[in-house]
């Protein structure tokens, strides 16, 4: 298989797969991460199962953007969907292919980026992008997601908010740690993104805010999204007509919290 000519790919091809597999494996085992010492655990599959059950997929096709090795595919299989996945990492897609390619419900597994999806307009009924959006050029990725979705298709999207609590030490440590590892990490100005979505004719059908780092893993959430909060999970319905929107940038490499604390020197 050939990779893509994108300078970001190397990071995700190297040690990241092992790291993320270990993080997912320890998701429901204890209070603190052993892989990222002292950090909160990441969210286990049950959290996603809960949201997908409450806000069901439309029947038809689903695209998982940043699918890694296809961790979520067994969850989609349960809904009888035609599954496609893309990931910037060749190593991840190779593993997804060796584990899932023989399954009848797999349509396409490809190396591609969220910002340039190799699919025609209006192809998918559902698009899932979880634990990935914060690594993308968000305004470009969002426009692509809406382009490849059918009218009224469903988008399941998670990310990090640009203003989290000043005393959320785990969140701050994660931001500092990501930067020191060269991990692509962008924080969303959620008010700006939601306004852009509304202007494009989208409808938000579910809203979850997770106040502090670690709350996503325990599904401790609120639905009002009053800042400060750390993570968010939205379910969005695409507009009634085919959508080809350009969005202004609404994310930044440094969170507002980090800047306010004067950590940005
Ligand atoms: C934290 S993992 C999440 C994987 C999977 N969605 C999950 O929840 O287990 C992030 C994944 O996004 C991929 N990724 C990062 N940036 C991307 C981009 N711009 N386009 C597509 N995939 C990307 C990485 O290679 C990695 O597999």
């Amino acid at each position: 298989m050939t990779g893509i000519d994108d300078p970001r790919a190397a990071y995700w091809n190297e040690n990241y797969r092992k790291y993320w597999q270990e993080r997912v494996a320890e998701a429901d085992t204890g209070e603190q991460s052993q892989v990222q010492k002292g950090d909160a655990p990441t969210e286990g599959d049950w959290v996603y199962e809960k949201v997908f059950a409450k806000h069901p997929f439309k029947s038809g096709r689903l695209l998982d953007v940043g699918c890694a090795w296809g961790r979520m595919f067994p969850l989609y299989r349960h809904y009888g969907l035609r599954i496609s996945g893309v990931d910037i990492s060749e190593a991840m897609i190779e593993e997804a292919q060796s584990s899932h390619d023989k399954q009848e419900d797999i349509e396409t597994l490809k190396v591609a980026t969220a910002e340039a999806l190799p699919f025609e307009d209006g192809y998918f009924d559902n698009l899932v992008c979880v634990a990935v959006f914060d690594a993308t050029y968000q305004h470009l990725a969002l426009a692509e997601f809406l382009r490849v979705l059918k009218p009224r298709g469903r988008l399941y999207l998670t990310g990090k908010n640009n203003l989290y609590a000043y005393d959320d030490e785990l969140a701050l440590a994660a931001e500092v740690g990501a930067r020191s590892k060269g991990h692509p990490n962008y924080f969303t100005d959620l008010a700006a993104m939601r306004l852009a979505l509304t202007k494009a004719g989208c409808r938000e059908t579910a809203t979850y805010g997770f106040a502090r780092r670690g709350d996503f893993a325990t599904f401790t959430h609120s639905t009002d999204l009053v800042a400060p909060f750390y993570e968010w999970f939205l379910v969005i319905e695409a507009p009634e007509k085919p959508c080809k929107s350009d969005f202004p940038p609404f994310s930044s490499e440094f969170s507002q919290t980090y800047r306010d604390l004067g950590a940005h020197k």
Side-chain angles (χ1 to χ4, degrees):
M1 189 198 309
T2 51
I4 46 171
D5 187 18
D6 188 308
R8 298 171 299 172
Y11 174 81
W12 304 101
N13 273 330
E14 283 160 14
N15 299 322
Y16 193 79
R17 181 175 43 156
K18 184 167 176 290
Y19 165 80
W20 187 241
Q21 281 173 334
E22 288 174 357
R23 285 286 269 165
V24 169
E26 69 172 9
D28 295 320
T29 56
E31 289 289 296
Q32 282 195 348
S33 172
Q34 293 306 308
V35 181
Q36 191 66 52
K37 297 261 185 253
D39 196 5
T42 193
E43 58 280 0
D45 292 355
W46 69 270
V47 175
Y48 293 104
E49 265 173 318
K50 224 177 163 67
V51 177
F52 296 151
K54 190 144 191 232
H55 311 285
F57 298 115
K58 294 188 91 171
S59 59
R61 293 194 170 97
L62 179 146
L63 174 64
D64 186 331
V65 176
C67 64
W69 60 92
R71 164 190 177 192
M72 300 282 172
F73 293 177
L75 306 188
Y76 310 145
R77 197 151 280 147
H78 178 70
Y79 293 89
L81 297 160
R82 301 274 304 146
I83 302 166
S84 293
V86 295
D87 200 290
I88 195 172
S89 160
E90 198 181 337
M92 295 286 198
I93 287 294
E94 270 171 5
E95 186 159 339
Q97 287 176 332
S98 71
S99 316
H100 298 280
D101 230 4
K102 301 234 163 17
Q103 306 273 353
E104 276 185 10
D105 55 3
I106 299 292
E107 198 164 77
T108 308
L109 295 175
K110 267 192 187 163
V111 181
T113 68
E115 300 85 355
L117 295 172
F119 301 100
E120 62 195 54
D121 299 354
Y123 192 69
F124 293 101
D125 302 278
N126 306 281
L127 191 151
V128 175
C129 181
V130 294
V132 179
F133 196 52
D134 48 331
T136 69
Y137 304 139
Q138 299 187 359
H139 63 298
L140 302 178
L142 188 64
E144 273 296 84
F145 298 168
L146 295 177
R147 180 186 68 75
V148 301
L149 273 170
K150 288 183 184 161
R152 295 210 157 155
R154 300 259 152 81
L155 170 61
Y156 300 77
L157 191 61
T158 68
K160 295 191 192 116
N161 188 39
N162 73 344
L163 183 64
Y164 54 80
Y166 295 123
D167 64 351
D168 190 342
E169 286 171 15
L170 291 182
L172 186 64
E175 179 170 354
V176 172
R179 193 155 297 122
S180 73
K181 283 194 278 186
H183 181 110
N185 203 22
Y186 296 92
F187 295 84
T188 311
D189 177 343
L190 205 57
M193 185 183 89
R194 290 168 101 196
L195 182 62
L197 284 167
T198 305
K199 282 187 182 164
C202 296
R203 200 169 66 91
E204 197 170 295
T205 59
T207 310
Y208 295 98
F210 305 97
R212 302 176 74 84
R213 185 166 174 90
D215 286 351
F216 199 164
T218 55
F219 204 52
T220 307
H221 62 272
S222 72
T223 51
D224 53 15
L225 292 188
V226 176
F229 59 95
Y230 181 57
E231 281 174 290
W232 51 269
F233 193 156
L234 303 182
V235 183
I236 295 151
E237 192 177 86
E240 278 177 30
K241 298 202 172 127
C243 184
K244 286 206 177 184
S245 293
D246 280 336
F247 296 115
F250 51 75
S251 63
S252 53
E253 270 187 87
F254 294 90
S255 71
Q256 186 63 49
T257 306
Y258 186 88
R259 280 181 264 163
D260 289 352
L261 288 173
H264 183 21
K265 296 251 166 71

